[in-house]
Amino acid sequence: MLNAPPRLAQQIQFIVELDRLKNVLRRTQLIDGSRHENSAEHSWHLAVMALLLQEYAAAEIDVHRVMRMLLVHDIVEIDAGDTFAFDVTGNLSKVERELAAAERIFGLLPEEQGRELRTLWDEFEDMATAESRYANALDRLEPLLQNLHNTGGTWRQYHIDQAAVLRRVAPIQEGMPDLWPFVLHAVDAAVQAGYIA
């Protein structure tokens, strides 16, 4: 359809493919409770949070690397879907589904760009760098804030208990330790309000 040089054609194909992420609905609802968030919105929100909250990172970080990591961390959901954090069965096959998706989707790009984005995705998944621990902390903080502000959201809908919520938000303690007291207080308040079982 488009008469583009091969490299540009690959990049455009990837960009067009990314549009599908807007159709991947997460279980988490928006703060106003009006609808479910999609994965593209989630990634954008986290990238902005990374910029705003970098002073709370556990260590010195390259915030631009974190933002790039967050913008690509859920691209695999185009193929693999969004696996609900508290879905025990769905999480059994999550790694395999996401690895296959990463191969296909990042493989659409010119080789060096695909490798660069795949490296960022792998880094996020491995949680072995200060940047990836901060990114994962943000990934756990955003749904916590959403559920706190939409009267319990998915916690209430799926009868999630306090222990499960604390396990889910645990990466915040390592990636943003100064926020951990806030998180514990917020979870306690959510239990008191009946948002968490």
Side-chain angles (χ1 to χ4, degrees), residues 27-29 31 84 86 143-160 165 190 193-197:
R27 299 279 178 99
T28 310
Q29 296 175 353
I31 285 175
F84 183 43
F86 302 104
L144 172 83
L145 296 174
Q146 289 168 318
N147 284 323
L148 283 172
H149 288 87
N150 64 24
T151 64
T154 53
W155 296 335
R156 286 180 59 188
Q157 183 178 357
Y158 296 99
H159 311 288
I160 307 301
V165 171
Y195 298 169
I196 297 173

Side-chain angles (χ1 to χ4, degrees), residues 27-98:
R27 299 279 178 99
T28 310
Q29 296 175 353
L30 300 181
I31 285 175
D32 70 3
S34 62
R35 64 175 174 82
H36 291 271
E37 175 184 51
N38 70 51
S39 288
E41 293 167 325
H42 168 69
S43 296
W44 163 80
H45 208 174
L46 293 181
V48 175
M49 289 171 63
L51 190 61
L52 295 175
L53 300 176
Q54 62 186 302
E55 67 195 80
Y56 301 102
E60 187 85 15
I61 55 158
D62 175 351
V63 73
H64 294 107
R65 183 170 186 79
V66 174
M67 292 171 71
R68 291 188 349 253
M69 191 182 303
L70 290 168
L71 288 171
V72 302
H73 86 287
D74 275 344
I75 286 175
V76 296
E77 293 182 1
I78 290 169
D79 288 355
D82 177 60
T83 305
F84 183 43
F86 302 104
D87 178 357
V88 176
T89 304
N91 277 287
L92 294 176
S93 65
K94 178 183 178 191
V95 171
E96 292 80 15
R97 288 183 285 116
E98 290 190 350

Side-chain angles (χ1 to χ4, degrees), residues 3-15 110:
N3 186 14
R7 179 179 175 82
L8 178 59
Q10 285 181 282
Q11 292 165 326
I12 289 173
Q13 181 184 11
F14 182 80
I15 290 166

Side-chain angles (χ1 to χ4, degrees), residues 121-137 140 170-172 174-175:
W121 182 79
D122 286 332
E123 182 179 348
F124 178 86
E125 293 297 315
D126 292 342
M127 290 179 58
T129 64
E131 284 80 8
S132 62
R133 287 188 290 273
Y134 176 56
N136 271 275
R140 307 306 170 89
I172 299 171
E174 187 175 359

